Amino acid sequence: MRTLVTGSAGFIGSHVVETLRAAGHEVRGFDLRDGGRDVRDAGAVEKALDGIDAVVHQAAKVGLGVDVSDLPDYTSVNALGTAILLAAMARHGVRRLVLASSMVVYGEGAYDCASHGRVRPAPRREEDLARGRFEPRCPHCDLPLDPADIGEEAPADPRNAYATTKLAQEHLAANWARETGGTAVALRYHNVYGPGMPRDTPYSGVAAIFRSALEAGRAPRVFEDGGQRRDFVHVRDVARANLAALGGGVPGTPAAYNIASGEPHTVGEMALALAGEGDGPAPVVTGEYRLGDVRHIVASPRRAEAELGFRAGIRFADGMREFRTAPLGAPASPRSPR
């Protein structure tokens, strides 16, 4: 299959390119850092699609951003860029798309209340966070909740510009699929880590921030009480999921899948694993918080396994052992899409 990979020089995109080529795909890369080609450049996109059978769309402005000044860039790169790409795919008769989406479209994760069953708590209040009351409470009775796996059927609740534009990408891809009869598979990545991850900036993931601190001889600073639960999934597993998605989906019927390890861990556990592997300074739990951060989000990987045949293979301990000394990539830029 002749496959165009946007964002091909980025952290995840470069691993996707390597995996697709190893599987026999003829891959054409398209990346801002490779000749200045941007998905918002309609002419460049038209040329890149010539003779292509499928698109794996990784290019995006990443991270949660800094403040509202980031809104125009996120909207332009992620939403407008995707719209330009999809319109060009329709003109070229390209009918297969794999889209890099994100767990951030869910907002807060899934929770169960002993009295009210499955609930979706509201954003945590600043006065609670300031008092160290980090766990979400039941919106009906204000009692503590038990975190649960979140499935793809959960309603979306994007809480920042990045999340909103990733969900917009999914909706645009769904429009394209229904109108063209194309196959659109959105992969909702959970916390991806691994070799080549961008270095520490406000646009990087927490794993890279901890790694950068340890490299500089500083203790990783763990916000809240370190008990935030996440699913850390290795980038090579994510690349394998993209390969599986190219063979999945139903024409005209968009679908979304959690891409996760199925092995949740806390942020504090990740910091300890990284510090312990390199005999670095022990993590410091600061009690600090960021408004808008979610407390727990743990994926159900069952649909991806049942429908795409994808199951993550790299265990947390093995992945963290490798990541402690793996090379990092250039910092994620506040101006340039990855």
Side-chain angles (χ1 to χ4, degrees):
M1 188 181 294
R2 291 166 296 184
T3 305
L4 176 70
V5 178
T6 71
S8 56
F11 166 44
I12 297 174
S14 60
H15 286 274
V16 171
V17 168
E18 180 180 353
T19 296
L20 296 187
R21 284 180 173 155
H25 286 259
E26 181 183 332
V27 178
R28 182 179 299 164
F30 186 93
D31 195 279
L32 184 66
R33 291 168 295 179
D34 183 18
R37 296 180 294 177
D38 190 317
V39 288
R40 293 168 294 183
D41 183 337
V45 169
E46 291 279 352
K47 292 178 182 177
L49 285 170
D50 187 38
I52 289 295
D53 302 310
V55 173
V56 177
H57 185 30
Q58 302 289 324
K61 182 175 174 65
V62 299
L64 302 185
V66 176
D67 54 39
V68 293
S69 66
D70 283 324
L71 287 171
D73 275 352
Y74 275 106
T75 303
S76 179
V77 175
N78 296 352
L80 176 61
T82 298
I84 289 171
L85 173 66
L86 293 170
M89 288 172 63
R91 287 191 293 272
H92 281 260
V94 180
R95 293 292 182 263
R96 182 167 290 276
L97 171 72
V98 177
L99 171 69
S101 188
S102 172
M103 60 146 187
V104 296
V105 303
Y106 296 120
E108 191 66 70
Y111 295 85
D112 290 327
C113 173
S115 300
H116 296 95
R118 181 61 50 91
V119 297
R120 295 294 298 275
R124 295 177 294 169
R125 298 174 297 191
E126 184 169 12
E127 56 265 33
D128 288 337
L129 296 172
R131 288 162 42 201
R133 189 180 178 186
F134 299 124
E135 294 293 338
R137 316 287 284 193
C138 177
H140 307 293
C141 63
D142 203 41
L143 290 176
L145 299 169
D146 294 320
D149 291 352
I150 194 162
E152 293 86 350
E153 73 287 348
D157 184 19
R159 297 185 179 185
N160 54 60
Y162 175 63
T164 299
T165 56
K166 295 308 285 184
L167 185 59
Q169 286 183 319
E170 288 195 24
H171 288 317
L172 289 166
N175 297 155
W176 167 85
R178 294 186 182 106
E179 292 187 23
T180 66
T183 300
V185 177
L187 303 181
R188 292 175 177 170
Y189 302 157
H190 284 250
N191 289 70
V192 186
Y193 73 97
M197 192 175 188
R199 290 182 178 276
D200 176 9
T201 76
Y203 301 84
S204 300
V206 66
I209 292 171
F210 290 169
R211 257 292 309 274
S212 295
L214 289 164
E215 279 189 346
R218 303 190 309 270
R221 295 177 61 81
V222 180
F223 278 19
E224 301 186 14
D225 60 0
Q228 309 94 305
R229 295 176 76 222
R230 298 289 188 271
D231 190 306
F232 300 99
V233 58
H234 197 281
V235 68
R236 289 197 295 274
D237 279 331
V238 170
R240 288 179 44 246
N242 277 268
L243 175 62
L246 277 171
V250 176
T253 305
Y257 298 92
N258 285 325
I259 301 303
S261 72
E263 184 186 355
H265 289 271
T266 68
V267 172
E269 287 171 344
M270 184 190 67
L272 284 169
L274 290 175
E277 289 294 343
D279 297 321
V284 175
V285 177
T286 69
E288 297 172 87
Y289 57 87
R290 295 191 309 178
L291 284 176
D293 278 359
V294 301
R295 178 62 176 176
H296 305 296
I297 182 160
V298 175
S300 167
R302 290 184 287 275
R303 180 183 290 181
E305 183 172 1
E307 298 183 11
L308 298 181
F310 167 75
R311 184 171 185 171
I314 299 176
R315 301 297 301 272
F316 178 80
D318 297 330
M320 288 296 159
R321 187 176 302 113
E322 176 202 32
F323 183 57
R324 179 61 184 87
T325 57
L328 295 179
S333 167
R335 295 296 175 197
S336 302
R338 297 282 297 180

